[in-house]
Amino acid sequence: MHYFIANWKAEKNLNDCYEWVKTFSVQAMKYNNSNIQIIICPPIAFLTSIKSYLLSSIPSIKFGAQDLSKFDNGKYTGETTAQMLKDLVDYVIIGHSERRTNHNETDNHVKLKVEQAYQHGIKSIVCISETTQIIPSKTNMIAFEPLSAIASGNNYPVDSIIEFKKGLNLPSTINFLYGGSVNKKNIDSYLQNQEIDGFLIGTASLDPHDFFSLLP
Ligand code: PGA
């Protein structure tokens, strides 16, 4: 099984999301590969609007949030909690480097968020860029995202990714993903390697044709 996870970040308005799903549905309806799991992580504000549209044409598609609160429901203005998300998504991205940088998220925040996700039955996709970063015990997937590779066009070579994975000593229950300038030109080199279970895709997920063209 390979996971193709689209991380749209804060790149789309509602209308952009609709345009994307309309185009993608037409292509993906004809696509049938039980070894591929597509997971879309839209801006959370638009999740419910696009979810029913996509599910009606591609029943196997799954959804994820790009973040969640470290708190459970309560007096926390502006937070989106795991309890709110549990009926909407199966996955959540936690500790993306953009959150670690722009919101000062630490390994401790990541741990609290993974615990929230776990308590409410959401699978966590924890992003790391260094072997020293903590991987909480309830993590479901690790996304290795070298900082120099994110949105730069400088994707990491397969050998370096595998070397990094070896240093993690991951239990076999955790899926290992790669993210960082994955695109049409380099996807085949990754797909050929059994050690990489899937991809977290930013830039190449923004256009529905580009994203679809990555699928084997
Ligand atoms: P990229 O983004 O594919 O544009 O490098 C990946 C990510 O930030 O998750």
Side-chain angles (χ1 to χ4, degrees), residues 7 9 96-98 127 145 149-153 179-182 200-205:
N7 177 13
K9 308 189 179 182
H96 191 283
S97 61
E98 286 154 12
C127 300
E145 299 212 304
I150 296 179
S152 63
S181 297
V182 172
L200 187 52
I201 303 157
T203 310
S205 75

XYZ file of all heavy atoms in Angstrom, residues 7 9 96-98 127 145 149-153 179-182 200-205, ligand 1:
153
model
N -1.303 17.824 0.899
C -1.298 18.864 1.934
C -1.455 20.214 1.238
O -0.483 20.753 0.694
C 0.024 18.792 2.718
C 0.129 19.898 3.751
O -0.845 20.571 4.061
N 1.334 20.087 4.294
N -2.057 23.005 2.555
C -1.611 24.130 3.402
C -2.695 25.216 3.404
O -3.886 24.894 3.379
C -0.243 24.632 2.936
C 0.773 23.496 2.813
C 2.191 23.951 2.572
C 3.108 22.727 2.496
N 4.511 23.066 2.303
N 4.170 19.648 11.483
C 4.789 20.061 10.214
C 5.823 21.154 10.519
O 5.616 21.975 11.408
C 3.710 20.582 9.258
C 4.227 20.781 7.864
N 5.005 21.859 7.520
C 4.092 20.035 6.731
C 5.327 21.756 6.232
N 4.781 20.655 5.734
N 6.902 21.174 9.763
C 7.982 22.142 10.060
C 7.488 23.585 9.984
O 8.002 24.464 10.683
C 9.160 21.942 9.107
O 8.740 22.142 7.777
N 6.470 23.831 9.145
C 5.939 25.200 9.079
C 5.255 25.582 10.385
O 5.256 26.742 10.785
C 4.978 25.327 7.880
C 5.756 25.361 6.570
C 4.989 24.875 5.355
O 3.763 24.696 5.442
O 5.641 24.646 4.321
N 5.368 14.824 11.392
C 6.435 15.281 10.497
C 7.715 15.527 11.282
O 7.677 16.205 12.325
C 6.036 16.585 9.812
S 4.546 16.452 8.829
N 10.536 14.985 6.364
C 10.508 16.145 5.475
C 11.747 17.008 5.722
O 11.732 17.893 6.593
C 9.231 16.961 5.713
C 7.960 16.183 5.431
C 6.858 17.086 4.920
O 6.518 18.073 5.596
O 6.352 16.807 3.827
N 14.285 20.444 1.415
C 13.541 19.839 0.295
C 12.118 20.371 0.172
O 11.487 20.219 -0.877
C 13.507 18.320 0.457
N 11.608 21.015 1.236
C 10.193 21.416 1.215
C 9.986 22.604 0.280
O 10.611 23.660 0.443
C 9.694 21.757 2.641
C 9.754 20.491 3.507
C 8.277 22.322 2.607
C 9.323 20.706 4.942
N 9.131 22.399 -0.696
C 8.719 23.444 -1.639
C 9.887 24.143 -2.324
O 9.782 25.300 -2.714
C 7.839 24.470 -0.921
N 10.999 23.444 -2.473
C 12.197 24.070 -3.041
C 12.552 23.530 -4.424
O 13.381 24.107 -5.126
C 13.390 23.806 -2.112
O 13.637 22.400 -2.059
N 11.969 22.387 -4.766
C 12.378 21.712 -6.005
C 13.589 20.813 -5.784
O 13.994 20.078 -6.678
N 8.342 13.443 2.359
C 7.761 14.664 1.797
C 8.856 15.676 1.517
O 9.802 15.817 2.304
N 8.742 16.375 0.411
C 9.727 17.391 0.046
C 9.950 17.393 -1.453
O 10.717 16.595 -1.985
N 9.191 18.289 -2.142
C 9.328 18.447 -3.598
C 9.120 17.154 -4.380
O 9.796 16.903 -5.382
C 10.687 19.072 -3.946
O 10.783 20.363 -3.392
N 8.203 16.313 -3.886
C 7.814 15.133 -4.672
C 7.052 15.635 -5.901
O 6.159 16.481 -5.786
C 6.900 14.199 -3.844
C 6.326 13.088 -4.715
C 7.677 13.612 -2.665
N 3.990 12.775 1.446
C 3.257 13.977 1.852
C 3.590 15.028 0.800
O 4.758 15.407 0.627
C 3.700 14.403 3.255
C 2.931 15.530 3.931
C 1.434 15.280 3.937
C 3.418 15.716 5.364
N 2.573 15.472 0.097
C 2.803 16.248 -1.124
C 2.156 17.614 -1.010
O 0.939 17.726 -0.828
C 2.234 15.478 -2.341
C 2.884 14.086 -2.419
C 2.464 16.254 -3.632
C 2.054 13.069 -3.167
N 2.963 18.644 -1.098
C 2.466 20.015 -1.023
C 2.234 20.581 -2.415
O 1.150 20.437 -3.005
N 3.264 21.197 -2.969
C 3.146 21.918 -4.242
C 2.475 21.081 -5.342
O 1.558 21.566 -6.020
C 4.554 22.356 -4.718
O 5.209 23.006 -3.625
C 4.468 23.299 -5.905
N 2.916 19.833 -5.492
C 2.377 19.011 -6.591
C 0.973 18.492 -6.313
O 0.401 17.778 -7.142
C 3.322 17.844 -6.895
N 0.410 18.854 -5.155
C -0.982 18.458 -4.894
C -1.958 19.598 -5.192
O -3.171 19.405 -5.168
C -1.163 18.011 -3.440
O -1.162 19.125 -2.561
P 6.246 20.235 -1.090
O 5.621 20.308 0.394
O 5.708 19.011 -1.743
O 5.793 21.504 -1.728
O 7.724 20.183 -0.921
C 5.597 19.171 1.215
C 5.126 19.548 2.582
O 5.446 20.650 3.062
O 4.420 18.758 3.238
